[in-house]
Amino acid sequence: MVHIAELPSSLFAFLLLLGACLGDARNPRTPSVPPSTEETVETYTNYYGYVKLTGLLQSLAQKYPHIANLSSVGHSVEGRELWVMRITKDPHGDAPGKPKFKYVGNMHGDETVSRQVLVYLVEYLLTQYGEEPRITELVDTTDIYIMPSMNPDGFEKSVEGDCGGNGGGRNNARNEDLNRSFPDQYDGTTVNADNVPEVTAVIKWIQEKKFVLSGNLHGGTVVASYPFDDSAVHRPQGFYSKAEDDKLFRYLALVYSQNHPTMKTGMPNCPDSQDETFNDGIINGAEWYDVPGGMQDYNYLHGNCLEITMELSCCKYPPASELHKEWDLNRESLLAYIEQVHIGVYGYVKNAVDGAALFNVSIVVASIRHNLTTGKYGEYYRLLLPGTYNITAAAQGYTPMTVPSVVVVEGKATELNFTLAPVVNEGVTATTHAMPAPNGQNLSSTTTSRPVLPPELQPVQPQDFRHHGYSDMEVFLRDYSRQFSSIAHLYSIGRSVENRELYVMAISGNPKVHEHGEPEFKYIANMHGNEVVGRELLLKLIEYLCHNYGTDAEVTQLVNNTRIHIMPSMNPDGYEEATEGDIKGYRGRNNSNNLDLNRNFPDQYFTSNETRQPETIAVMNWVKSIPFVLSANLHGGSLVVNYPYDDDKEGLSQYSRSPDDDVFQQVSRAYSQENPLMHNGHPCKDLYPNEYFEDGITNGANWYNVPGGMQDWNYLNTNCFEVTIELGCEKYPWSKDLPKYWEQNRRALLQFIHQVHSGVKGTVSDIRDGTGIPNATISVKDIHHNITTAGTGDYWRLLVPATYYITASAHGYIPLGTYATVSKDHVELVDFNLTRVRSDANGQSPVGPQPTQTPSEKAFQSLIKNLSLSQGLEQLVTSTAMESRFRYRGYKDLSGFMQGLTLNFPKITSLHSLGQSVEFRTIWGLEISNKPGEAEPSEPKIRFVAGIHGNAPVGTELLLEFAALLCINYGKNPAITRLINETRIVIVPSINPDGREQAVEKQCNSLQGSTNIHGRDLDTDFFGNASQHVVEPQPETRAMMNLILDQGYTLSVALDGGSLVATYPYDKPVQSVENEVTLKYLAGVYAKNHPKIHLGNTGCSNNGQMGNIPGGVMRAAERQSHMGSMKDFSMDFGHCPEITVYSGCCLFPAAEQLPTLWAENKKALLSMLVEVHKGVRGVVRDKSGKPIVGAIIVLNEGVRVFTGEGGYFHALLAPGNHNIEAVADGYQQQHKQVVVFSNEAASFIIIEFDMDNRILGLPREFVVAGAAASMTALVVTACIIWCVCAAKSSRQKDGFHRLRQHREDYDDEIRLTSMGSKKSLLAHEFQDESESDEDTLYANKI
């Protein structure tokens, strides 16, 4: 489906998509309870359950139809209406002129005072209208919406008198905390419509109504809290997270608290926290405690609405006898707070030509970096404290209008109207002049002139031009990040060789996270340290964007709709070596290792032996972690834009065309045409008189060959299109010339950013539930270059104007294609809704028993899906940060550490001795689970092991830190808690403790300690057959063999050292590997979540390991082939895939490197905990429901797994379609097809067996009938023979003996044939052909 119009906000579009199923909140729902016409007299002595509340509200709406209108904005999980009472004059219309206000109560179902006081407020407003002037004016001038209960399901579960909230009604019916479920500015939380329909409904309501002010009523203490509710660091408490309108929020919170007799004291004296106090009865939300995903922050950031949270009572669900007192305490505060919706400024924005209302115009207040937008009637309400302000109205396609010195007085709001003139180039132009009138009214006049253009507010231009050294640049960047924190975020992607930060400034309306639908753009400069113009231009660009945001329409539009990443210096070390005035020299060009960074990237045609540099690695990781769409690399030494390809497969200087050559030419010209010198094509006449570039652009290889260039790597390995821009003939010009360069390039820099909004964009979604599909492929017919969707299914595909056939495809989905016409003036919106491939062979709906999902199981699937996305896993990494003091632990320290974990976390840990080493050191195994020691056959089991080589102890320390992370975060971090609850984790940190005691720190290549005390390399000692053992296995080996054989593991991860690569089975030399695709995929999951391994360039010069390893993954035998490895034993005898990760080139690095190594491996280790829940799992049973233990599950006609206790099985599989056969003695074979998705939890299937009534492959009835006929014929034949041969007894006896002998041989053949099916399957179970007692024992165990 092709959408031809862009929505004004990408986030708005996403949230509307989630909320679409809920219908139009403006239309009242059909009442589920008949309305009562009986007048209700309020007694303040009873709580209203859902049914009574519904009847009361309907009765009031019927009684006061001239000022009351009851509607529902959606349903709860259990189908209860989310009632909203609208109270205003003419409540059924939708005319402008009154600001919209809302109260929401009972968000937490067991916090019930809010529910009741809002009911009382509804009654009070309705009954006092026309009686009390204050109420009458308030209702006449304000559009008031009151939702007494956002969580009616939770209320029904709650128990009166439960002050502490122990009754279980806080969350909704799917056990989700509604005040942790809104999109969050720091964590990018997304709304799951299935789990929180209440949140989805409220989001849709907020977006539709454009509320101005709101209150969210809670319970549990007595205080008013205000945004922000959380911070980027997520400190549990004590961190003041300031909003742009912090002073205004404090004022609004004080209005409520100072009118509440208890709240204003700041001493609620709650029994469970008697020492807790709040200055003036108010507090910043995050300073109190961190609340990610809260509603009040969402209102402020995405809803035009300022909201605070009021905690009304210490007891969450006090006895009903307390209700009258609570109403008396809160009545004045509730009314006074509503009245604050009338402070600040308000007005309309209209078109200066025809007077039409302008929707979605930004209202910008100078010095307050938080804008709001106009409604559909062009109306706006901007709450402000008394003062004098410069206020601007800005909209795309219109000349912004600024009114200076607007005076806001206390009490009544100031009216300020705007008329905006369209931007035109010729003809009749409307010119608008405005000034505030003495009475606060805005006087505006519109005249017509020809051809005078409207006066424009000129952008603020940078003034201070100089060269910035590293320290100077760092101060500049930090200062702008601090000053403009709402749109600018400074971060580092890594460090240079000399340990300088590689800084990037992100500039956007929400600069810290990728927002769905918003493209990512980047500028990189100073890759060659002596080419400095780009460095200074990018610093000036940061300054220009920050200072003009909100006042300049172009800048505001770009920043609001693009996430712009600016890296001023990729080579800060080289810059420090370069010298001012260098025209065409080389000093400082390379990095500190004297390598050219623009020859250091992997190349499509040539392989380089140069070590990948830290700057290069940092950029490669960065570009792969963010879905960049367009990029430019700023250089110096000429004046031209060059585009891919940069080199040619023959190594010649000739045109090397990429599949997107037209696109590259288009974006290149967009830059060159805006540069007054570049487009002429004669860049440096004095230096290179014969050089000419038509239109100021050139194909890179056609100019000169550059193997290993950054722009080609971007295009070939990511979604990002990059060009290289040469900014001037002099590499390091004098600082006095810098203003000239800014003037020549400032328009071009902006115009190039605009190019990211060309071509097509959209979302690829699952048609079942609308969730985005990550890593879906977008292909364009006849252009052989595909791109993939980002984490939430959004994509951007740059194209030149034309009509294209575009296809979206993804693993497990039916591809979908459509035609789209791309124009040059806007991006075309093309969404795809993909249908899943059926799980059966014929495309029919599955037959047989189907598993049902509980809400808890659905929630866990949602968690796995979220953590499968890079952003979700990054959030988990960030949220589990803890202080650590890394050091190497000897055997005693290690034992004490593990025992300490079991003592401190006894409910989730169990420590086992797996055996002892030669020198009698215990080999410890730590189980982490919510039920350690108990068999839970339905849960996957994962094994983490390290230290098989004692001289490589990094893995040991990583696993100890990993164990601590899991234990410490259990019960605190929801994701970690759920993963532990659903997984059995076994950690073996040191297989070879004796060798570890012999090893020496800081020895990168020493073999001392690699073997056990007998000199045996333990990774060559794992043999399944006794005949393969020259001697008995070592005690350490035996301990691990027992662990592998005794436990049904799903996945094993082994950590080692000495390389930087992830390997998969086998270590032994084999021609082919069954299920290699899956094994390689599992190793790839670890590698892609490791910042270095996935790059594929190890750079281990200390051990001779060099070259490029695709994806950082290889078959173990290709690295170093050997027999008897633990990995192979796990595969062949434990039926468990094991990958080995080599975490670094140095075997035993200095302890100071451990924090870095932990940071590199933390995300990857967590990803394995997520991955173990994927693939396919299920249960095998017979028709009566009896589980079948020991059934064989054959995957893709190769790999076999076995059902365990309860008939459960779990097999990890690569994403895609897979065939499954189930075989069990005495039952008919069963066949299934399953689809495995890369970002979803394992599909659960049920396999039911029928009894196998076949004999020799034929129906039992046919065989029995045939046997009977044969027996009859045999008897008849025997009688005939007996009669004919009666006279010859000796010959008769001999003939009968031979017949009987033949019959016995035939019976033996039948017996062997009938056993063939199962025996043949078991015969292939082991790859070793030799048999042994151990084989027989293990086969019997199966």
Side-chain angles (χ1 to χ4, degrees), residues 1284-1336:
V1284 172
C1285 303
K1288 303 177 181 178
S1289 59
S1290 62
R1291 290 176 59 192
Q1292 289 168 354
K1293 292 177 183 177
D1294 183 57
F1296 183 74
H1297 172 74
R1298 293 189 181 206
L1299 177 63
R1300 185 180 63 181
Q1301 185 179 37
H1302 174 75
R1303 171 71 184 277
E1304 289 171 349
D1305 291 343
Y1306 180 65
D1307 286 345
D1308 287 342
E1309 185 178 342
I1310 291 176
R1311 204 160 45 244
L1312 286 170
T1313 305
S1314 68
M1315 295 173 60
S1317 176
K1318 184 181 178 186
K1319 187 175 182 68
S1320 64
L1321 284 170
L1322 291 173
H1324 290 87
E1325 194 51 46
F1326 305 101
Q1327 295 203 2
D1328 300 294
E1329 296 181 0
S1330 57
E1331 290 289 329
S1332 69
D1333 293 341
E1334 183 179 345
D1335 291 343
T1336 306

Side-chain angles (χ1 to χ4, degrees), residues 96-175:
K98 291 182 286 189
K100 288 179 168 59
F101 176 94
K102 66 177 166 71
Y103 272 132
V104 176
N106 200 209
M107 187 183 201
H108 291 145
D110 59 352
E111 297 171 12
T112 60
V113 171
S114 62
R115 177 185 177 111
Q116 289 302 123
V117 298
L118 289 184
V119 172
Y120 304 152
L121 178 63
V122 169
E123 294 173 326
Y124 188 78
L125 293 173
L126 297 180
T127 58
Q128 296 303 307
Y129 181 78
E131 300 289 332
E132 185 179 332
R134 180 190 186 191
I135 300 302
T136 304
E137 182 183 5
L138 194 60
V139 172
D140 283 345
T141 60
T142 319
D143 202 357
I144 304 168
Y145 295 77
I146 298 175
M147 178 187 283
S149 181
M150 184 178 167
N151 186 3
D153 298 350
F155 178 84
E156 298 298 315
K157 287 179 62 179
S158 302
V159 180
E160 186 174 345
D162 177 14
C163 288
N166 301 315
R170 173 187 176 91
N171 295 348
N172 75 349
R174 290 215 170 96
N175 199 30

Side-chain angles (χ1 to χ4, degrees), residues 848-897:
Q850 300 300 313
T852 57
Q853 283 191 325
T854 66
S856 177
E857 289 171 336
K858 287 184 178 180
F860 185 65
Q861 284 199 334
S862 177
L863 173 65
I864 294 299
K865 192 167 189 175
N866 179 54
L867 294 178
S868 297
L869 307 177
S870 180
Q871 189 172 328
L873 203 55
E874 283 289 356
Q875 291 166 9
L876 182 59
V877 170
T878 303
S879 65
T880 52
M882 57 186 192
E883 292 187 8
S884 302
R885 295 183 178 179
F886 287 94
R887 68 181 192 281
Y888 286 110
R889 296 174 175 88
Y891 170 72
K892 288 184 178 179
D893 279 352
L894 181 148
S895 299
F897 183 85

Side-chain angles (χ1 to χ4, degrees), residues 467-474 535-536 539 575-576 732:
H467 288 296
H468 291 74
Y470 174 75
S471 298
D472 194 7
M473 179 183 73
E474 185 176 43
R535 176 183 175 120
E536 298 307 322
L539 293 178
Y575 178 89
E576 297 300 312
Y732 200 150

